[in-house]
Amino acid sequence: MIRARNPLLLLSGASLLLATACTDPNYNTGTGTDPNQRTKTGAALGGVLGAGLGAMVSDDKLKGAVIGGVLGAAGGAVAGSALDRQAAELRQQLDNDVQITNTGDRLILTMPQDILFDVDSTTIYPGLRGDLLTVAQSLNDYPDTTVQVVGHTDSDGDAGYNQRLSERRANAVADVLLQGGVPSSRVRPFGRGEDQPVASNLTAEGKRQNRRVEIVILPNA
């Protein structure tokens, strides 16, 4: 009989699986041909991780690996399936300017600040409140998640001012989610200022991409 002599090898396999998934050019964009890819990846990764952990904590390592693998695969599949469904629903419901990225372990909703706020303002445009309330309803429909609301700016102006502006804008978006019935215990707003650009701040288009608010939906462990 083959025994699981080194459970850490199983965890190494999980790392390899995740690395392979993340190098797939369609993995982060959710544009692959298989709409259930996140579910399958979650199940496979959960199974490998569960097997490794089960083997490490059980007296009978082989038995523990089998049990852990089954439980881990089930948990990973459930989380992945929920993210797949939520992402598909939000793509149908939200404005096309809202970018939705399913990484397999979280959803990231990117809203350009230019469609949310006027220059130097923290007042959300009335037309965008509807989209945010739609997000709030989705969060209520999928309650087993926590939410980070992250504000970002470009590099124009004083860095300290940009940090404070990003925080105020994140709080403004979070307030609408709370008004939509999302419990405050699930929502964590904060700002990153100009510290996490996604494009060059040397061009007008790059600056536009950097001015954004991200709503990050994380399944609870």
Side-chain angles (χ1 to χ4, degrees):
M1 178 181 294
I2 298 174
R3 287 205 168 269
R5 294 182 181 276
N6 189 353
L8 291 178
L9 292 177
L10 294 170
L11 298 182
S12 298
S15 299
L16 178 60
L17 173 63
L18 181 57
T20 301
C22 289
T23 56
D24 180 343
N26 291 323
Y27 183 78
N28 285 335
T29 61
T31 57
T33 57
D34 187 349
N36 297 316
Q37 182 62 45
R38 304 311 185 283
T39 304
K40 296 175 181 177
T41 301
L45 182 56
V48 176
L49 289 173
L53 293 174
M56 285 190 286
V57 301
S58 174
D59 290 336
D60 184 334
K61 290 186 177 181
L62 181 57
K63 182 178 179 181
V66 172
I67 295 173
V70 171
L71 294 176
V78 169
S81 178
L83 287 179
D84 289 338
R85 292 196 308 273
Q86 190 173 16
E89 292 169 4
L90 286 170
R91 288 191 179 101
Q92 292 180 341
Q93 297 167 349
L94 296 180
D95 188 279
N96 290 334
D97 287 329
V98 180
Q99 177 184 341
I100 302 172
T101 304
N102 186 343
T103 69
D105 66 345
R106 68 193 62 195
L107 295 183
I108 304 174
L109 280 59
T110 302
M111 297 186 166
Q113 288 190 1
D114 294 355
I115 70 170
L116 283 171
F117 305 100
D118 202 351
V119 177
D120 286 338
S121 172
T122 59
T123 301
I124 295 173
Y125 285 129
L128 264 295
R129 287 183 60 86
D131 272 352
L132 291 175
L133 290 174
T134 296
V135 174
Q137 182 59 56
S138 177
L139 295 174
N140 291 329
D141 291 341
Y142 294 87
D144 294 328
T145 59
T146 56
V147 185
Q148 297 176 350
V149 182
V150 191
H152 301 271
T153 71
D154 61 28
S155 63
D156 284 352
D158 177 72
Y161 176 83
N162 287 337
Q163 175 62 35
R164 293 188 294 274
L165 179 62
S166 70
E167 292 170 358
R168 293 198 301 272
R169 286 179 165 176
N171 282 321
V173 170
D175 284 345
V176 178
L177 299 181
L178 298 181
Q179 292 165 17
V182 183
S184 59
S185 59
R186 293 178 59 197
V187 181
R188 181 191 171 205
F190 55 93
R192 294 299 191 197
E194 59 189 59
D195 291 341
Q196 293 183 345
V198 294
S200 171
N201 276 305
L202 298 179
T203 67
E205 175 59 22
K207 290 177 182 178
R208 186 193 68 78
Q209 294 180 51
N210 292 332
R211 296 189 298 268
R212 67 199 191 278
V213 173
E214 294 174 335
I215 300 174
V216 184
I217 303 171
L218 298 158
N220 295 332

